[in-house]
Structures are given as structure tokens and as C-alpha cells.
Amino acid sequence: MIDKRTIKGSYKSRKIYFLKVLLIIVLPLTVACRKELAPEINPSGVAGKDFKEIFDAFWNGMNRNYVMWDIDSTNWNEMYRVFSPAFAKLQFSDPADRLKAAHYLRQMTAGLKDSHYTLQFNDPLLADSIMIPADIRLKQRPDYHSPYPADYFDQVAQRYLDQPYYDAAYNTDPEHSLRYIAGTIHHNILYFRLNAFSVYRAFNSDNTRMTTLLNFVFNSIKNNNTAGVIIDLRDNTGGDLQDLNFFSGRFINTPLQYGSSRYKSNNNPLDYTSWMPALVTPVAGSKPYTGKIVVLVNMYSISMAELTTMALKAMPNTTVIGERTYGANGSLTAEADLNGGSFTIGDFAVIKTASAVFKFKDNQIYEGLGFPPDILVPYDQSGVAAYTDKQLEKATSLFTP
Amino acid sequence: MKKNFTNIYRVAGLLSVLLINPLLMKAQLNVGINAGISRNSLISNRGYRSNTDYTKVDGFTAGMVVRYPVNKYVTIGVEPSFIGKNYKIVRNDYYQGVYQATYNNYIQLPMLATFSLSNQRMLGGISAGGYSAYWAHSRKKGVIPNLSDLSTQDGDYTNVFQNIKPFSYDETYHFDNKLDNRWEFGWVAGLDFQYTLSRQFAYFMTARYYYSLTDQGKNYTINQEQRFNQTVVISAGLLFRTGQHHKKHRWQYD
């Protein structure tokens, strides 16, 4: 016979056992959760009236948007450790502190490799504090010199080009006041001089002087009726990326890979996409250009001027003459396009930075270094003063049998 | 913090081996195989990426289960498996068509305690425990704009690919020791259902929820975006009772 007390005791111990089991299962789940993830702040959304907030927005924005952390020597984490406490001490209402903040930001960014990088302040007090690390780097080059005088290329055209030749000016936008020159040298070498790239827009404008000039250039390339072409990209400040296809695409009839590029795939500093082929697509109806192509460059050949040089250099019949270029090979686009690149810190500052890194077909990244010429012909101050163009003369000599 | 977790799981792993070994020797085990589908979410503080969403992507899982009935109500066990923890980043509006799907394969070892109630044929239970997983392989597939391959199309663009040509890829991701944390640890909870077919065999279905406590990335920068897997798995399989066949044996709920 079963004792009722034994049954009662058994139920009791079973209940306690169930509770223990439940406790073992449930308790760990309640105590071990992840730390709550702090939301990222959009730098453009900050009020920009507090230096701790400004510093955090700037540092985080750079950490997230800057596309060259893998090739940059700046230790951005160290910048945080050094400058975060310094910014916390600054008062936005104090003009001296605002100047100090701009000085700190300049120090933080002085070594950045991206040659498109520009830090600009909206505060009128800080208007002169603009920071362009590449310009500092340029001035440290042993071969540093000023750009050519404003009338230099017109004078050179007068002296070296067959008469008559074409010239045209057109302002597509305030940054790119176009001044193009085209003609022949020795009646069999096409010469085309561009101070900036906005060829597509200029060609589609109602500026007949410009379209006549460009038609002459395009027809000469298409008809292969000259011994070669000299494309003068010295002091060319860059411009529209679409000109790669629209202009360089006239020398080929099949797509040309001249390098590759990549950009940010996600928010951490070293989140990158795969390398994608950088291509020039031929213009409809174009033929392979069989003549000699010579590209003139100097240390003021910037961005699109460098990409065009590299695209043409990817063709077997191209020689680059002059100096090492500026070294701004990344591409700029809206932040939303590639989730990286340029951004703002509220109303306080504007940061312009590349959205993509480019490497040439030789697998070298020339960002911050500049693309080297095949034939180095240095800037000649005395020659420039007399409008004697040693670089153009060298280019012309390549066509002499 | 992360180091503490790693240490805890190292100790837990060692204890498990020490505890399970004698059970294996005793061989009063239910052993089975199972397969199913996984659905993973990547949890991160991704902040302000415009026109961008993370979406869940289904995957597959297959593995085995080893369960030891401690008593009438409680079973402990391990469920080594191969599991897909996938996710997708998609962009919308003007960027419609841009996406990157990441297919991650993990080798996973959950250790669970199951509390169950049963009748003659069926068993229902709840399970909880911890798991460790090794990120064995990763593949990325997507379509993104190639800024170095511009379209020659004119006009007002309504989609990014009218302006910039698409770049498609499908490639194995090569792990980077500096960036990728290939060990994952976390909690697992779930539901169990079992239907007895015979003395030796039973069908079973499980639902599991895996909650990772470890970031997929190594901590290499200040304010790093953290990424955690959260995975729901539904699987079904066949359970086989091993050992002591000469005796009248009982499933754990008998």
C-alpha cells in the first residue's frame, strides 16, 4: 500500500525539480544579451554649434566615408585619442576657440592621401583655414613650380601651330571655364589643348565656335588623316567623368580596360567592394586610332586629366611627356551614390573627398603620387618666359622621322 | 568583454566534452540526422545609409543530433550542423536594383537542455543552451554601380544604372585575419516536437533561435559598426536510439 505522504512528497519534489530546470534554461537567456547598439549619427544632421558634437561628427564621418584608409598612413584612431579631449575643452562661442578648432582639424587631415580632399569652413572667421593636403604635398615636391602664366598656351599656339587654328571659350560652370585650342603642327600633327574636361557639355552647347573646334578634332581622329595627335593636358584641372567615353572613346572601337576602381561597401573603414574594371566605351562609329598619341602632362594635370592620360596610356601607341601629374585619381560623386565620399558637418564645414579609389592597369595606385611620364621633360622657367615650350618640342620631335 | 565570453565558452566546451564523453561510453543515446531551412538577420547599428535596407535571406542547414535523456523530463544534447547565415543589403528608390547578398556558411555546435512532456507517441518540449560556430566560408553576390564605367545614355536619369553601368559579381570572400572574427558564440532557444514511429525510430521537428553575442568583425577601429547574426532555423529529421537493444528500451519520455 502506497503511503499518501510519499505521493504528496513526490509531487512536491517534482514541482521543485521543474522549477529548477526552468530556472537553468531561462535564467541565462535573461542575463546575457548584447550591449545595445548605439545608432550612428549622420554628420550633416548635427547642429554644428558644439565642438564635441562637431568633432564626433567629423571623426565618424571620415571613419565611415573616407575611401582610402587601407593606403593612408594617417592613424585615424590615434587622431581620436589625441584630439577628442582637446575639442571637448573648446567653446563654440569663443572666436579664438573656433580658430583653434580649425587648426586642430587641419592637423588631423594634413597627411591624408586623397588628393581630392578639401576641408572647407562655412564660418566666415575660418574662410582662410581651408585645408587641401595635396596642395601642401605639391609644394614639397623638389620640382615644384607655379602653373603656367594665363596667356601661355595662347602664345604657344601662336608660335607652334599652323595658321589658322581654332580656339574657343565656354563656361559650363564656375569651376570649369573652358579654354580649348586645336589645330595642326607641321600640317600633319593634330594638337588639342584642354584646360578642363567638359567636352560633352561643350559639344552639346550652342557655342558654335566650340562645336566647330570639337568637330575638327573629332573628324581628325576619326579620319586618321594625321601622323598623330598631341593632347595637351598641362594645367588641366579635371572635370566631367563622362568625357572619358565621349573623348577617349573616339580612339577605340572595342571597350578598353585601363585600370580598376573600388569603393566602400559598408560603414566600417575597411569595408570595400571588389575591384571593378575601369572601362572606356567606344563612341558609336569610331575606329581604332593607328597614329601616334602623345599626351603632355605636368604637376597641375589633375583628376580627369590624369584618368584620361592613363586611359590613353593603356593604348599601345601612346607616349606621355612632361612631369609627374598631381595624383588625384579617385572619382567624386554624391555621397548617396556609393555611400561614401564627400559629406558635411551641419553648417560648420564641408568635406570633399573621393568616393572611389583607382588603380592603373599596372596594379599601381598613383593617388597622392602622380602618374609618371614616359619621357620626363621638366618645367623650364626661362623657356616659359620666352614662350619656348620644351615639352611640346619634345612631343613634336617624336613625329620626326 | 568579448575575451570574457571566449573564456567562458572555452570552459563550457571543455566541461561539455568531459560530461558528454561518459554518456557516449554509456551509449544510452538518441542519435539522429536533420535538415532544414535557416533565416538569418544581420543586426547592426548601420545608422544613416540612404536608401539602404538589410533583408533576411534563407539558407539551408543540415546536421546531426545527439541526445541523452537525463530523466523523464530532461534531455541534454548537442546538434552539430552546417548552417547558412545569409543576409542581403538592398537599395531602393533611385538605386533600385543595387544589392549585395552575402552567403555565410558556419559549422555550428549548439549544446542544449530540453525540458519535455510526452505521451505514448508524441513529445513536446522547450530547449535552451549555448552554441559556438565557426565561419567556414563566405560568398558575395551582387550588382552595384561601377563608377568607372559610365553609361553613354543621355537625359534625366530615374535610376542609377541609366547613368552608371552595373557591375555584377559572384565571388568567394577571402577572410582577413585583421577584420573578420570567425568564431561566433551565443545563446540558442527553441521548441521540439517528436513523433515515435517504432521502438528504434522517431520523427522530430525543431525550431531554433540562435542569438549571437559576438561581432562578426574584429574590433579594429573606434566606434566600429558591430554586426551580429540572429538566425531562426526550422528542421526535421529522424532519431535513432542506440545501445542496449537487447533490453526493453524507452524513449526519453517513456
Side-chain angles (χ1 to χ4, degrees), chain A residues 307-335:
Chain A
L307 293 178
T308 302
T309 304
M310 288 190 261
L312 295 170
K313 179 62 193 160
M315 300 173 199
N317 47 340
T318 300
T319 306
V320 180
I321 292 177
E323 300 168 321
R324 195 155 48 85
T325 61
Y326 187 80
N329 306 154
S331 304
L332 294 170
T333 187
E335 181 187 12

PDB file of all heavy atoms in Angstrom, chain A residues 307-335:
ATOM      1  N   LEU A 307      43.155  60.664 -65.335  1.00  0.00           N
ATOM      2  CA  LEU A 307      42.427  59.465 -65.783  1.00  0.00           C
ATOM      3  C   LEU A 307      42.463  59.351 -67.309  1.00  0.00           C
ATOM      4  O   LEU A 307      42.631  58.255 -67.855  1.00  0.00           O
ATOM      5  CB  LEU A 307      40.979  59.497 -65.285  1.00  0.00           C
ATOM      6  CG  LEU A 307      40.777  59.365 -63.773  1.00  0.00           C
ATOM      7  CD1 LEU A 307      39.303  59.458 -63.403  1.00  0.00           C
ATOM      8  CD2 LEU A 307      41.350  58.043 -63.251  1.00  0.00           C
ATOM      9  N   THR A 308      42.317  60.496 -67.982  1.00  0.00           N
ATOM     10  CA  THR A 308      42.378  60.476 -69.449  1.00  0.00           C
ATOM     11  C   THR A 308      43.781  60.062 -69.909  1.00  0.00           C
ATOM     12  O   THR A 308      43.928  59.265 -70.843  1.00  0.00           O
ATOM     13  CB  THR A 308      42.017  61.867 -70.006  1.00  0.00           C
ATOM     14  OG1 THR A 308      40.709  62.205 -69.541  1.00  0.00           O
ATOM     15  CG2 THR A 308      42.039  61.876 -71.527  1.00  0.00           C
ATOM     16  N   THR A 309      44.793  60.583 -69.225  1.00  0.00           N
ATOM     17  CA  THR A 309      46.176  60.206 -69.561  1.00  0.00           C
ATOM     18  C   THR A 309      46.357  58.699 -69.411  1.00  0.00           C
ATOM     19  O   THR A 309      46.936  58.033 -70.281  1.00  0.00           O
ATOM     20  CB  THR A 309      47.163  60.937 -68.627  1.00  0.00           C
ATOM     21  OG1 THR A 309      46.932  62.335 -68.735  1.00  0.00           O
ATOM     22  CG2 THR A 309      48.607  60.609 -68.969  1.00  0.00           C
ATOM     23  N   MET A 310      45.843  58.158 -68.307  1.00  0.00           N
ATOM     24  CA  MET A 310      46.012  56.722 -68.068  1.00  0.00           C
ATOM     25  C   MET A 310      45.187  55.892 -69.057  1.00  0.00           C
ATOM     26  O   MET A 310      45.633  54.842 -69.507  1.00  0.00           O
ATOM     27  CB  MET A 310      45.645  56.397 -66.618  1.00  0.00           C
ATOM     28  CG  MET A 310      46.697  56.916 -65.642  1.00  0.00           C
ATOM     29  SD  MET A 310      46.459  56.330 -63.956  1.00  0.00           S
ATOM     30  CE  MET A 310      45.671  57.724 -63.242  1.00  0.00           C
ATOM     31  N   ALA A 311      43.999  56.390 -69.394  1.00  0.00           N
ATOM     32  CA  ALA A 311      43.169  55.668 -70.376  1.00  0.00           C
ATOM     33  C   ALA A 311      43.895  55.620 -71.721  1.00  0.00           C
ATOM     34  O   ALA A 311      43.955  54.565 -72.372  1.00  0.00           O
ATOM     35  CB  ALA A 311      41.815  56.348 -70.511  1.00  0.00           C
ATOM     36  N   LEU A 312      44.451  56.747 -72.137  1.00  0.00           N
ATOM     37  CA  LEU A 312      45.167  56.772 -73.412  1.00  0.00           C
ATOM     38  C   LEU A 312      46.459  55.966 -73.327  1.00  0.00           C
ATOM     39  O   LEU A 312      46.873  55.310 -74.295  1.00  0.00           O
ATOM     40  CB  LEU A 312      45.457  58.223 -73.827  1.00  0.00           C
ATOM     41  CG  LEU A 312      44.210  59.073 -74.141  1.00  0.00           C
ATOM     42  CD1 LEU A 312      44.575  60.536 -74.308  1.00  0.00           C
ATOM     43  CD2 LEU A 312      43.522  58.552 -75.407  1.00  0.00           C
ATOM     44  N   LYS A 313      47.082  55.995 -72.148  1.00  0.00           N
ATOM     45  CA  LYS A 313      48.341  55.252 -71.951  1.00  0.00           C
ATOM     46  C   LYS A 313      48.101  53.739 -72.051  1.00  0.00           C
ATOM     47  O   LYS A 313      49.018  52.972 -72.366  1.00  0.00           O
ATOM     48  CB  LYS A 313      48.941  55.620 -70.582  1.00  0.00           C
ATOM     49  CG  LYS A 313      50.235  54.925 -70.226  1.00  0.00           C
ATOM     50  CD  LYS A 313      51.345  55.265 -71.199  1.00  0.00           C
ATOM     51  CE  LYS A 313      52.537  54.328 -71.031  1.00  0.00           C
ATOM     52  NZ  LYS A 313      53.401  54.300 -72.211  1.00  0.00           N
ATOM     53  N   ALA A 314      46.858  53.331 -71.792  1.00  0.00           N
ATOM     54  CA  ALA A 314      46.535  51.904 -71.904  1.00  0.00           C
ATOM     55  C   ALA A 314      46.530  51.439 -73.361  1.00  0.00           C
ATOM     56  O   ALA A 314      46.457  50.245 -73.633  1.00  0.00           O
ATOM     57  CB  ALA A 314      45.184  51.630 -71.256  1.00  0.00           C
ATOM     58  N   MET A 315      46.587  52.408 -74.277  1.00  0.00           N
ATOM     59  CA  MET A 315      46.695  52.049 -75.704  1.00  0.00           C
ATOM     60  C   MET A 315      48.185  51.924 -76.044  1.00  0.00           C
ATOM     61  O   MET A 315      49.013  52.649 -75.499  1.00  0.00           O
ATOM     62  CB  MET A 315      46.056  53.131 -76.578  1.00  0.00           C
ATOM     63  CG  MET A 315      44.580  53.335 -76.272  1.00  0.00           C
ATOM     64  SD  MET A 315      43.936  54.754 -77.165  1.00  0.00           S
ATOM     65  CE  MET A 315      42.468  55.102 -76.216  1.00  0.00           C
ATOM     66  N   PRO A 316      48.517  51.038 -76.968  1.00  0.00           N
ATOM     67  CA  PRO A 316      49.944  50.757 -77.207  1.00  0.00           C
ATOM     68  C   PRO A 316      50.700  51.896 -77.902  1.00  0.00           C
ATOM     69  O   PRO A 316      51.924  51.940 -77.852  1.00  0.00           O
ATOM     70  CB  PRO A 316      49.901  49.510 -78.101  1.00  0.00           C
ATOM     71  CG  PRO A 316      48.549  49.510 -78.728  1.00  0.00           C
ATOM     72  CD  PRO A 316      47.629  50.184 -77.772  1.00  0.00           C
ATOM     73  N   ASN A 317      49.977  52.803 -78.537  1.00  0.00           N
ATOM     74  CA  ASN A 317      50.635  53.841 -79.338  1.00  0.00           C
ATOM     75  C   ASN A 317      50.707  55.194 -78.622  1.00  0.00           C
ATOM     76  O   ASN A 317      50.783  56.229 -79.260  1.00  0.00           O
ATOM     77  CB  ASN A 317      49.908  53.988 -80.682  1.00  0.00           C
ATOM     78  CG  ASN A 317      48.392  54.057 -80.520  1.00  0.00           C
ATOM     79  OD1 ASN A 317      47.859  53.641 -79.499  1.00  0.00           O
ATOM     80  ND2 ASN A 317      47.698  54.566 -81.518  1.00  0.00           N
ATOM     81  N   THR A 318      50.674  55.182 -77.299  1.00  0.00           N
ATOM     82  CA  THR A 318      50.658  56.444 -76.534  1.00  0.00           C
ATOM     83  C   THR A 318      51.966  56.665 -75.774  1.00  0.00           C
ATOM     84  O   THR A 318      52.497  55.744 -75.149  1.00  0.00           O
ATOM     85  CB  THR A 318      49.483  56.452 -75.535  1.00  0.00           C
ATOM     86  OG1 THR A 318      48.272  56.327 -76.263  1.00  0.00           O
ATOM     87  CG2 THR A 318      49.452  57.724 -74.715  1.00  0.00           C
ATOM     88  N   THR A 319      52.459  57.895 -75.839  1.00  0.00           N
ATOM     89  CA  THR A 319      53.628  58.305 -75.058  1.00  0.00           C
ATOM     90  C   THR A 319      53.234  59.508 -74.203  1.00  0.00           C
ATOM     91  O   THR A 319      52.593  60.437 -74.712  1.00  0.00           O
ATOM     92  CB  THR A 319      54.792  58.715 -75.991  1.00  0.00           C
ATOM     93  OG1 THR A 319      55.040  57.644 -76.898  1.00  0.00           O
ATOM     94  CG2 THR A 319      56.053  59.022 -75.198  1.00  0.00           C
ATOM     95  N   VAL A 320      53.601  59.450 -72.929  1.00  0.00           N
ATOM     96  CA  VAL A 320      53.281  60.560 -72.020  1.00  0.00           C
ATOM     97  C   VAL A 320      54.561  61.359 -71.781  1.00  0.00           C
ATOM     98  O   VAL A 320      55.604  60.794 -71.428  1.00  0.00           O
ATOM     99  CB  VAL A 320      52.706  60.042 -70.690  1.00  0.00           C
ATOM    100  CG1 VAL A 320      52.379  61.195 -69.742  1.00  0.00           C
ATOM    101  CG2 VAL A 320      51.461  59.194 -70.930  1.00  0.00           C
ATOM    102  N   ILE A 321      54.461  62.649 -71.984  1.00  0.00           N
ATOM    103  CA  ILE A 321      55.635  63.530 -71.873  1.00  0.00           C
ATOM    104  C   ILE A 321      55.348  64.651 -70.876  1.00  0.00           C
ATOM    105  O   ILE A 321      54.229  65.166 -70.829  1.00  0.00           O
ATOM    106  CB  ILE A 321      55.985  64.133 -73.257  1.00  0.00           C
ATOM    107  CG1 ILE A 321      56.490  63.027 -74.202  1.00  0.00           C
ATOM    108  CG2 ILE A 321      57.034  65.239 -73.141  1.00  0.00           C
ATOM    109  CD1 ILE A 321      56.785  63.516 -75.611  1.00  0.00           C
ATOM    110  N   GLY A 322      56.352  65.027 -70.116  1.00  0.00           N
ATOM    111  CA  GLY A 322      56.212  66.162 -69.203  1.00  0.00           C
ATOM    112  C   GLY A 322      56.669  65.807 -67.799  1.00  0.00           C
ATOM    113  O   GLY A 322      57.761  65.252 -67.616  1.00  0.00           O
ATOM    114  N   GLU A 323      55.819  66.122 -66.826  1.00  0.00           N
ATOM    115  CA  GLU A 323      56.148  65.877 -65.415  1.00  0.00           C
ATOM    116  C   GLU A 323      55.166  64.886 -64.809  1.00  0.00           C
ATOM    117  O   GLU A 323      54.108  64.622 -65.395  1.00  0.00           O
ATOM    118  CB  GLU A 323      56.002  67.186 -64.624  1.00  0.00           C
ATOM    119  CG  GLU A 323      56.871  68.324 -65.075  1.00  0.00           C
ATOM    120  CD  GLU A 323      56.429  69.626 -64.411  1.00  0.00           C
ATOM    121  OE1 GLU A 323      55.221  69.874 -64.254  1.00  0.00           O
ATOM    122  OE2 GLU A 323      57.311  70.407 -64.042  1.00  0.00           O
ATOM    123  N   ARG A 324      55.509  64.403 -63.632  1.00  0.00           N
ATOM    124  CA  ARG A 324      54.582  63.572 -62.865  1.00  0.00           C
ATOM    125  C   ARG A 324      53.321  64.402 -62.566  1.00  0.00           C
ATOM    126  O   ARG A 324      53.436  65.602 -62.262  1.00  0.00           O
ATOM    127  CB  ARG A 324      55.273  63.124 -61.570  1.00  0.00           C
ATOM    128  CG  ARG A 324      54.616  62.008 -60.832  1.00  0.00           C
ATOM    129  CD  ARG A 324      55.652  61.270 -59.979  1.00  0.00           C
ATOM    130  NE  ARG A 324      56.493  62.168 -59.180  1.00  0.00           N
ATOM    131  CZ  ARG A 324      56.161  62.649 -57.993  1.00  0.00           C
ATOM    132  NH1 ARG A 324      54.993  62.333 -57.454  1.00  0.00           N
ATOM    133  NH2 ARG A 324      56.997  63.415 -57.332  1.00  0.00           N
ATOM    134  N   THR A 325      52.170  63.786 -62.676  1.00  0.00           N
ATOM    135  CA  THR A 325      50.909  64.518 -62.512  1.00  0.00           C
ATOM    136  C   THR A 325      50.620  64.795 -61.024  1.00  0.00           C
ATOM    137  O   THR A 325      51.398  64.418 -60.140  1.00  0.00           O
ATOM    138  CB  THR A 325      49.745  63.728 -63.130  1.00  0.00           C
ATOM    139  OG1 THR A 325      49.638  62.477 -62.442  1.00  0.00           O
ATOM    140  CG2 THR A 325      49.965  63.495 -64.620  1.00  0.00           C
ATOM    141  N   TYR A 326      49.467  65.399 -60.764  1.00  0.00           N
ATOM    142  CA  TYR A 326      49.090  65.863 -59.422  1.00  0.00           C
ATOM    143  C   TYR A 326      48.841  64.711 -58.447  1.00  0.00           C
ATOM    144  O   TYR A 326      49.200  64.778 -57.283  1.00  0.00           O
ATOM    145  CB  TYR A 326      47.827  66.714 -59.580  1.00  0.00           C
ATOM    146  CG  TYR A 326      47.336  67.428 -58.358  1.00  0.00           C
ATOM    147  CD1 TYR A 326      47.920  68.618 -57.927  1.00  0.00           C
ATOM    148  CD2 TYR A 326      46.238  66.946 -57.652  1.00  0.00           C
ATOM    149  CE1 TYR A 326      47.429  69.296 -56.822  1.00  0.00           C
ATOM    150  CE2 TYR A 326      45.739  67.614 -56.546  1.00  0.00           C
ATOM    151  CZ  TYR A 326      46.344  68.795 -56.141  1.00  0.00           C
ATOM    152  OH  TYR A 326      45.843  69.460 -55.048  1.00  0.00           O
ATOM    153  N   GLY A 327      48.190  63.652 -58.922  1.00  0.00           N
ATOM    154  CA  GLY A 327      47.950  62.478 -58.059  1.00  0.00           C
ATOM    155  C   GLY A 327      46.581  62.429 -57.421  1.00  0.00           C
ATOM    156  O   GLY A 327      46.440  61.915 -56.308  1.00  0.00           O
ATOM    157  N   ALA A 328      45.572  62.941 -58.149  1.00  0.00           N
ATOM    158  CA  ALA A 328      44.185  62.867 -57.637  1.00  0.00           C
ATOM    159  C   ALA A 328      43.393  61.971 -58.588  1.00  0.00           C
ATOM    160  O   ALA A 328      42.781  62.453 -59.536  1.00  0.00           O
ATOM    161  CB  ALA A 328      43.573  64.265 -57.568  1.00  0.00           C
ATOM    162  N   ASN A 329      43.455  60.686 -58.348  1.00  0.00           N
ATOM    163  CA  ASN A 329      42.873  59.734 -59.312  1.00  0.00           C
ATOM    164  C   ASN A 329      41.527  59.174 -58.885  1.00  0.00           C
ATOM    165  O   ASN A 329      40.896  58.423 -59.630  1.00  0.00           O
ATOM    166  CB  ASN A 329      43.823  58.550 -59.542  1.00  0.00           C
ATOM    167  CG  ASN A 329      45.217  58.989 -59.949  1.00  0.00           C
ATOM    168  OD1 ASN A 329      46.185  58.289 -59.723  1.00  0.00           O
ATOM    169  ND2 ASN A 329      45.332  60.164 -60.538  1.00  0.00           N
ATOM    170  N   GLY A 330      41.096  59.458 -57.669  1.00  0.00           N
ATOM    171  CA  GLY A 330      39.801  58.952 -57.203  1.00  0.00           C
ATOM    172  C   GLY A 330      38.677  59.666 -57.925  1.00  0.00           C
ATOM    173  O   GLY A 330      38.870  60.717 -58.540  1.00  0.00           O
ATOM    174  N   SER A 331      37.507  59.076 -57.841  1.00  0.00           N
ATOM    175  CA  SER A 331      36.349  59.699 -58.505  1.00  0.00           C
ATOM    176  C   SER A 331      35.442  60.332 -57.467  1.00  0.00           C
ATOM    177  O   SER A 331      35.285  59.816 -56.366  1.00  0.00           O
ATOM    178  CB  SER A 331      35.561  58.637 -59.270  1.00  0.00           C
ATOM    179  OG  SER A 331      36.412  57.981 -60.173  1.00  0.00           O
ATOM    180  N   LEU A 332      34.867  61.449 -57.851  1.00  0.00           N
ATOM    181  CA  LEU A 332      33.937  62.155 -56.963  1.00  0.00           C
ATOM    182  C   LEU A 332      32.515  61.935 -57.428  1.00  0.00           C
ATOM    183  O   LEU A 332      32.228  62.001 -58.622  1.00  0.00           O
ATOM    184  CB  LEU A 332      34.226  63.656 -56.991  1.00  0.00           C
ATOM    185  CG  LEU A 332      35.553  64.139 -56.422  1.00  0.00           C
ATOM    186  CD1 LEU A 332      35.757  65.610 -56.754  1.00  0.00           C
ATOM    187  CD2 LEU A 332      35.602  63.946 -54.918  1.00  0.00           C
ATOM    188  N   THR A 333      31.646  61.674 -56.484  1.00  0.00           N
ATOM    189  CA  THR A 333      30.224  61.609 -56.802  1.00  0.00           C
ATOM    190  C   THR A 333      29.448  61.904 -55.529  1.00  0.00           C
ATOM    191  O   THR A 333      30.037  62.071 -54.457  1.00  0.00           O
ATOM    192  CB  THR A 333      29.845  60.235 -57.389  1.00  0.00           C
ATOM    193  OG1 THR A 333      28.499  60.265 -57.839  1.00  0.00           O
ATOM    194  CG2 THR A 333      30.000  59.115 -56.379  1.00  0.00           C
ATOM    195  N   ALA A 334      28.133  61.964 -55.644  1.00  0.00           N
ATOM    196  CA  ALA A 334      27.308  62.262 -54.466  1.00  0.00           C
ATOM    197  C   ALA A 334      27.464  61.155 -53.432  1.00  0.00           C
ATOM    198  O   ALA A 334      27.605  59.982 -53.789  1.00  0.00           O
ATOM    199  CB  ALA A 334      25.854  62.378 -54.892  1.00  0.00           C
ATOM    200  N   GLU A 335      27.423  61.539 -52.145  1.00  0.00           N
ATOM    201  CA  GLU A 335      27.613  60.575 -51.057  1.00  0.00           C
ATOM    202  C   GLU A 335      26.628  59.412 -51.171  1.00  0.00           C
ATOM    203  O   GLU A 335      26.987  58.250 -50.967  1.00  0.00           O
ATOM    204  CB  GLU A 335      27.437  61.277 -49.711  1.00  0.00           C
ATOM    205  CG  GLU A 335      27.638  60.352 -48.512  1.00  0.00           C
ATOM    206  CD  GLU A 335      27.283  61.014 -47.191  1.00  0.00           C
ATOM    207  OE1 GLU A 335      26.670  62.092 -47.197  1.00  0.00           O
ATOM    208  OE2 GLU A 335      27.633  60.428 -46.146  1.00  0.00           O
TER     209      GLU A 335
END
